[in-house]
Amino acid sequence: MSESQSIQWFPGHMTKTKRQIEKTLKLVDAVAEIVDARVPVSSRNPILHKLIQGKPRVILLNKADMADPQQTARWIAYYKEKGITAIAVDCRSGKGMNQFIPTVRSVLKDKIASWERKGMVGRTIRVMVVGIPNVGKSSMINRLSKGSKAVVEDRPGVTRNNRWFTITKDFELLDTPGVLWPKFEDKTVGEHLAFTGAVKDAVVDVEQLAARLIETLRELYPNALTSRYKLDGLDLSAMQGYEILEAIGRSRGMLISGGEINTERAAIAVLDEFRGAKLGRITLEQVRA
Ligand code: GDP
């Protein structure tokens, strides 16, 4: 995810995507919304809910392989309470994806029954796949369509045209028309998407970003930090994120001439290792128990 590129969000682009989605919604029976299970709030488009009102939908908590399984289960229960069906998937390995078609069918069961009453047995189910850049839409479509067409790019914002994929003889997927934007005016959202690599590091200060990630991890998963970076004996709660970053650099022997700590190298290591799930399975946005 290191090659993620930043996206220029113009009001014009957003209006265009919104219109494209509104138009295309008429062609589908349901919407599959993909979110990043590690940051399920920040990885959602802020107006999608309103945009797809009335459409049956399934939320895919993707990258579940890197998220805290207990938290993922809580998110599924949270959505269920709100009457929304969510499933945990890992589109890279395919884990959980066998639930997808049966789940869509169950969400659409009344509709399917009514089609059948009208003599439309085996009518094709059409589902639009939506999600902000880098959540795994291409990976998901690729996996289901067995790699025949969708191109997976390790960078957000690659615009694609309206493309349909035949999954089975009576099940079709439509790739998001246009690029759905995150709630980028919210600072926490921007930060969380930068932590996961969904937005480019070059637009942010890596040391500051790593220090913020460290502070977030200290709140939620202090043991992950202590054990990965051998910080036993330090009272992390009494330290600033930047001081912990320095301690990590020291512990890893990341020094520059004169014995100074190379905090930039340490910052890159922390970000890369978090993104590679080397600190364990972590969910940064949690459902309060
Ligand atoms: P899109 O921009 O929404 O189409 O996202 P992509 O399908 O291009 O995926 C973005 C990055 O996330 C790629 O590097 C994928 O390999 C990776 N990715 C997608 N799904 C998963 C997943 O379930 N688990 C993990 N670990 N990585 C994933």
Side-chain angles (χ1 to χ4, degrees), residues 9-64:
W9 304 101
F10 296 118
H13 287 169
M14 302 199 298
T15 309
K16 191 172 164 216
T17 300
K18 188 169 163 266
R19 280 213 197 103
Q20 281 171 322
I21 289 186
E22 275 165 347
K23 212 166 89 191
T24 336
L25 268 175
K26 299 192 183 90
L27 309 175
V28 299
D29 306 302
V31 172
E33 182 187 5
I34 308 190
V35 303
D36 184 328
R38 296 167 300 170
V39 285
V41 178
S42 295
S43 58
R44 298 186 76 180
N45 169 273
I47 67 158
L48 188 72
H49 184 72
K50 221 172 130 206
L51 212 56
I52 64 173
Q53 243 172 24
K55 273 285 166 191
R57 84 166 122 172
V58 174
I59 292 181
L60 282 83
L61 291 155
N62 190 35
K63 309 198 184 186

Side-chain angles (χ1 to χ4, degrees), residues 191-253:
E191 212 168 65
H192 285 188
L193 294 177
F195 293 160
T196 62
V199 301
K200 198 187 176 188
D201 283 346
V203 299
V204 289
D205 178 311
V206 282
E207 287 169 62
Q208 205 182 327
L209 186 66
R212 289 290 303 131
L213 173 60
I214 287 166
E215 283 170 4
T216 309
L217 293 173
R218 179 191 49 195
E219 297 305 313
L220 301 171
Y221 300 91
N223 297 338
L225 273 180
T226 307
S227 65
R228 174 91 194 158
Y229 299 110
K230 304 189 173 54
L231 304 175
D232 302 282
L234 293 180
D235 178 10
L236 300 189
S237 64
M239 295 164 79
Q240 301 276 338
Y242 192 80
E243 291 173 304
I244 301 174
L245 180 66
E246 287 179 315
I248 290 172
R250 200 176 301 119
S251 154
R252 284 275 174 99

